[in-house]
Amino acid sequence: MKQTSDCVVIIPTYNEKENISAIIDAVMGQPHEMDVLIIDDGSPDGTADIVRRKMTEYTGRVHMVERQGKLGLGTAYIAGFKWALQRPGYEYIFEMDADFSHKPDDLMRLYHACSQEGADMAVGSRYLTGVNVVNWPMGRVLMSYYASAYVRMVTRMKIRDTTAGFACYRRRVLQTIELDKIKFKGYAFQIEMKFTTLQCGFTVKEVPIIFVNRENGTSKMSGGIFGEAVFGVIRLKWNSFFRKYPRPQ
């Protein structure tokens, strides 16, 4: 079936059977047609079987890459980006969680920021207008908020939500930034992607969103993952002094 959408939403999954059917339906229901690419890391709970049924229901619009074992959030997105870049019709490539912590209706706001307002990357920001997080324990809110402030201090990025995992990229960004040089695999991946996008000379626009903690399934956040985000940024900034970043063509 011929590709008809200029958008693809990449959703990494591991044990998301409670959410995956509904999140695909929500993306399919957006007023601007969007395709979905699931990157499943060998979920033992049957997530991939549900996705296969959705691929039949939405022929040519729902796709899946199955990987063996948990290989990391960053590598899942890199695999998804490369998949999308092999298909020339996708001009807008999104990152989104499977658990409804990112509201699917906000996809249109990110799309508009890139397609109408000229942003090269649009970020769904929890901290642009205060702290817009619902149902997180206070300790986790503080950890996330101050980690983002720390990242801003080290990297000098003028982005309020440096660890945000809800974003839209214009195709040319992902074509330019040398995906094989992105090193972080956990949540620091999100920091590295924003930092590299800016270093390459692209524009990043934050779009305020309300982040709602998952109601179904289990969070994949861990102290080790968060530690990578906190301690890796010093190396990221240091290495940037010795690296020549490609510029947009």
Side-chain angles (χ1 to χ4, degrees), residues 52-100:
R52 275 187 280 272
R53 291 197 290 272
K54 287 295 176 182
M55 291 170 69
T56 301
E57 182 178 347
Y58 300 107
T59 304
R61 294 189 58 198
V62 176
H63 310 275
M64 179 167 57
V65 172
E66 295 185 73
R67 309 196 303 170
Q68 300 303 312
K70 296 179 71 174
L71 302 177
L73 180 75
T75 66
Y77 276 126
I78 294 295
F81 295 156
K82 289 181 176 180
W83 183 96
L85 291 176
Q86 290 170 357
R87 290 150 179 85
Y90 291 129
E91 292 296 332
Y92 304 95
I93 299 163
F94 295 77
E95 300 177 354
M96 190 172 76
D97 290 348
D99 60 8
F100 284 93

Side-chain angles (χ1 to χ4, degrees), residues 23-200:
I23 199 76
I24 290 173
D25 288 341
V27 176
M28 292 293 106
Q30 293 304 304
H32 182 87
E33 184 177 306
M34 297 182 176
D35 293 347
V36 169
L37 172 64
I38 304 298
I39 310 290
D40 187 68
D41 273 5
S43 299
D45 71 344
T47 296
D49 292 331
I50 297 171
V51 176
R52 275 187 280 272
R53 291 197 290 272
K54 287 295 176 182
M55 291 170 69
T56 301
E57 182 178 347
Y58 300 107
T59 304
R61 294 189 58 198
V62 176
H63 310 275
M64 179 167 57
V65 172
E66 295 185 73
R67 309 196 303 170
Q68 300 303 312
K70 296 179 71 174
L71 302 177
L73 180 75
T75 66
Y77 276 126
I78 294 295
F81 295 156
K82 289 181 176 180
W83 183 96
L85 291 176
Q86 290 170 357
R87 290 150 179 85
Y90 291 129
E91 292 296 332
Y92 304 95
I93 299 163
F94 295 77
E95 300 177 354
M96 190 172 76
D97 290 348
D99 60 8
F100 284 93
S101 54
H102 304 139
K103 291 172 57 179
D105 288 352
D106 285 333
L107 287 166
M108 290 301 301
R109 299 173 62 221
L110 299 184
Y111 171 70
H112 189 269
C114 288
S115 65
Q116 303 297 320
E117 297 173 6
D120 295 307
M121 178 186 185
V123 176
S125 177
R126 298 163 291 183
Y127 305 129
L128 187 63
T129 57
V131 179
N132 293 317
V133 177
V134 178
N135 293 337
W136 259 8
M138 182 53 67
R140 186 169 173 185
V141 172
L142 292 173
M143 182 171 66
S144 174
Y145 181 82
Y146 284 109
S148 204
Y150 164 79
V151 171
R152 288 198 306 276
M153 179 183 70
V154 173
T155 64
R156 298 293 188 235
M157 284 193 289
K158 292 180 170 56
I159 296 176
R160 298 292 301 175
D161 194 351
T162 57
T163 60
F166 190 29
C168 174
Y169 299 87
R170 294 182 70 97
R171 180 185 187 87
R172 64 185 184 184
V173 175
L174 299 179
Q175 287 176 320
T176 300
I177 64 174
E178 299 176 319
L179 294 173
D180 288 335
K181 292 186 179 181
I182 301 295
K183 299 303 182 185
F184 290 127
K185 294 183 178 180
Y187 280 77
F189 165 81
Q190 305 293 3
I191 301 167
E192 188 174 7
M193 286 296 295
K194 296 176 186 67
F195 182 77
T196 306
T197 296
L198 289 169
Q199 291 294 109
C200 289

